[in-house]
Amino acid sequence: MELFALEHKRLWRTPRVLICVALCFFYCIIYTTLISFQWTYFGSEGEDSTNLYSNHLDGYSMIRTYKARSDTYGDYWTDETLQKLVKDFQTIEPHSPLSSMYDWTVGSSALKLYEELQDPENQKYQPLIRYVDTTKLTDFYQRRADDLNVNIVMNQQNLLLTDEDVETLREMDSRIKTPWRYEWTRGWEKMLTGSLPLLSRMAPYLAIVLGFLFSGEWHNSTAPLLHTTRYGWKKLARVKVLSGFAFAVELYLLIAGGTVLLQLIYLGTDGWDMPIQMIKIHAVAPWNMLQAELYELAFAFLGVVGYAGIVMLMSALVKSNVLSLVFSLAFIYVPGLFISYLPIWLQDASQFLPMVGSPTDIFRMNFFHIFGKGIWLPWMSITIPVLLGLACVPFAILKWSRRERV
């Protein structure tokens, strides 16, 4: 324990580590979350509606305004809710600052179920939500069920789903209770499709810190000195690995904790029991917003742990800090360069690499097949990355220990 404390303190006192943590905090918390909440995403529109940076710095007060407006539509999503929302939206001028007060993204998504109401002449100039006859917006849940069946059949062909996969999807969807709970949705949409998935942006900072964990000893010519200590070489390697994992977890807690804290301050907890179908109408997972957020937080945490294990292996394999950093970064960025050229099953498999996949797969219908058995992709995406990282640990310890004894 004493050796771990010394090693961990030494890691945190390194200027490179402090700079990386500061930059990671600024980018993930200040720039992509705080500024987004207060200014670019939720701030009221400025003079140039096409430029988010012209918005006003009034996100906190505007969020309260958005919520109050959505409260007027009732607690559940019904035909009447959709009709009233669309009718109210039609009363305001296009690009008016008032338009941001309405949960129009939800209404626009719902109107995709009413494509036969589109006017070929009008749709050239304005969206359906602007001119549709609201009295014809009926049978929402039946339309959604019919459209979902069509979507599943299309995915069965495009994603090579089996009949068993299709039955699994339909069984999942059957557990979604109707009518759906409804409150202001844009806040949860921002968190689940924007802020939380961005936790994967911690990868470069982890690579810079942990990529030098073992190779740095050779770079600084301290490996022979470590061999003269009263601690065994294998124990030193284990302590360095534990210190690396501890740093990864601490960085995750700092960034994820800061993101959730800002969420509580700006968005609160209202709407946690809404189904995720309020964000993506064709999602089949019977989850509410809180369950989806917990999944995404767990996805990011396990991805961080898995990636930390892989980076430490890269650091143990080479003596060069530069090579260690290049290999660690290539691990997460190179797959994206070739992903579109790969077969579908290999594209799905790439999601199992730590910090490469996306937690937003919970809104999709992807399956991965092992020995003919289909498994919903999110379940594998949350378990395999951390297992890969942990499997790298013994090899990292063994490789560095052998070199350190030389």
Side-chain angles (χ1 to χ4, degrees):
M1 193 65 185
E2 177 186 0
L3 183 59
F4 168 79
L6 292 172
E7 175 64 26
H8 197 55
K9 186 181 295 185
R10 184 172 79 112
L11 178 66
W12 270 100
R13 286 180 175 177
T14 306
R16 180 187 72 256
V17 174
L18 296 177
I19 292 173
C20 282
V21 171
L23 290 175
C24 185
F25 182 85
F26 175 80
Y27 178 76
C28 296
I29 302 300
I30 305 299
Y31 179 71
T32 63
T33 306
L34 178 60
I35 292 179
S36 178
F37 284 169
Q38 185 63 24
W39 181 21
T40 58
Y41 196 83
F42 293 118
S44 58
E45 291 183 0
E47 295 181 358
D48 184 1
S49 61
T50 63
N51 183 8
L52 294 178
Y53 292 98
S54 71
N55 287 357
H56 300 110
L57 286 165
D58 56 359
Y60 185 85
S61 61
M62 287 303 298
I63 287 172
R64 271 71 199 156
T65 303
Y66 301 150
K67 287 185 176 183
R69 185 69 197 186
S70 294
D71 288 344
T72 63
Y73 298 119
D75 296 331
Y76 292 92
W77 186 261
T78 63
D79 292 344
E80 290 73 19
T81 304
L82 176 60
Q83 292 169 4
K84 189 173 188 301
L85 188 149
V86 174
K87 188 173 183 179
D88 285 351
F89 192 83
Q90 292 175 349
T91 62
I92 61 177
E93 294 295 327
H95 306 299
S96 166
L98 291 176
S99 63
S100 60
M101 293 176 57
Y102 295 86
D103 225 345
W104 61 270
T105 56
V106 177
S108 297
S109 177
L111 289 181
K112 293 178 181 178
L113 303 179
Y114 300 86
E115 293 183 350
E116 78 280 1
L117 300 181
Q118 290 183 346
D119 185 339
E121 295 183 1
N122 283 331
Q123 68 178 345
K124 295 180 181 179
Y125 308 102
Q126 53 187 338
L128 178 62
I129 193 173
R130 280 292 176 187
Y131 61 84
V132 68
D133 183 355
T134 57
T135 61
K136 296 181 179 180
L137 301 178
T138 57
D139 299 323
F140 171 81
Y141 290 105
Q142 184 58 51
R143 283 175 173 268
R144 188 257 177 187
D146 295 339
D147 195 63
L148 179 64
N149 285 330
V150 173
N151 194 262
I152 288 177
V153 172
M154 292 177 57
N155 284 335
Q156 186 174 13
Q157 299 173 354
N158 298 333
L159 303 178
L160 305 180
L161 302 181
T162 65
D163 292 339
E164 184 179 356
D165 298 339
V166 170
E167 288 303 315
T168 300
L169 291 173
R170 287 175 173 156
E171 189 277 329
M172 292 170 64
D173 183 71
S174 68
R175 288 186 275 127
I176 301 173
K177 298 180 179 179
T178 57
W180 299 343
R181 278 276 294 115
Y182 171 70
E183 290 190 33
W184 183 62
T185 306
R186 283 181 58 205
W188 285 102
E189 181 182 22
K190 168 63 176 173
M191 287 300 300
L192 297 180
T193 64
S195 297
L196 291 178
L198 284 178
L199 292 177
S200 62
R201 301 292 177 87
M202 295 191 316
Y205 306 99
L206 287 171
I208 293 173
V209 173
L210 301 183
F212 298 171
L213 197 65
F214 290 113
S215 63
E217 302 295 358
W218 291 98
H219 180 78
N220 298 326
S221 300
T222 57
L225 179 62
L226 290 175
H227 187 59
T228 64
T229 63
R230 61 190 177 93
Y231 301 103
W233 50 267
K234 184 172 287 188
K235 185 174 183 179
L236 286 171
R238 289 172 178 168
V239 165
K240 292 180 75 66
V241 166
L242 289 176
S243 178
F245 277 129
F247 172 81
V249 171
E250 289 160 357
L251 182 62
Y252 167 82
L253 292 176
L254 175 66
I255 303 304
T259 302
V260 173
L261 178 61
L262 287 175
Q263 176 193 9
L264 293 175
I265 293 174
Y266 276 88
L267 306 177
T269 59
D270 299 337
W272 67 268
D273 54 346
M274 287 190 297
I276 62 173
Q277 286 69 29
M278 294 301 303
I279 294 177
K280 185 172 182 180
I281 201 169
H282 286 146
V284 296
W287 291 0
N288 60 37
M289 301 294 185
L290 179 59
Q291 291 170 324
E293 177 164 344
L294 292 175
Y295 172 89
E296 294 196 4
L297 289 170
F299 178 96
F301 173 75
L302 296 175
V304 163
V305 173
Y307 185 65
I310 290 174
V311 172
M312 286 187 284
L313 175 61
M314 300 293 181
S315 181
L317 289 176
V318 297
K319 295 183 179 181
S320 168
N321 284 339
V322 174
L323 283 178
S324 174
L325 180 59
V326 169
F327 289 156
S328 298
L329 293 177
F331 186 84
I332 56 174
Y333 291 118
V334 170
L337 299 177
F338 305 98
I339 190 69
S340 60
Y341 303 102
L342 300 176
I344 292 179
W345 70 269
L346 202 53
Q347 292 182 27
D348 291 341
S350 68
Q351 304 299 306
F352 304 148
L353 300 177
M355 309 293 280
V356 172
S358 172
T360 57
D361 276 329
I362 59 176
F363 296 101
R364 303 185 181 98
M365 303 180 185
N366 295 347
F367 275 74
F368 193 83
H369 295 90
I370 300 179
F371 303 115
K373 177 67 176 178
I375 303 175
W376 191 40
L377 195 61
W379 295 133
M380 301 186 68
S381 297
I382 202 174
T383 53
I384 294 181
V386 68
L387 295 178
L388 288 175
L390 294 178
C392 291
V393 172
F395 298 100
I397 293 174
L398 183 62
K399 186 65 177 179
W400 186 77
S401 299
R402 284 179 175 176
R403 281 185 168 176
E404 197 271 337
R405 286 185 292 171
V406 175

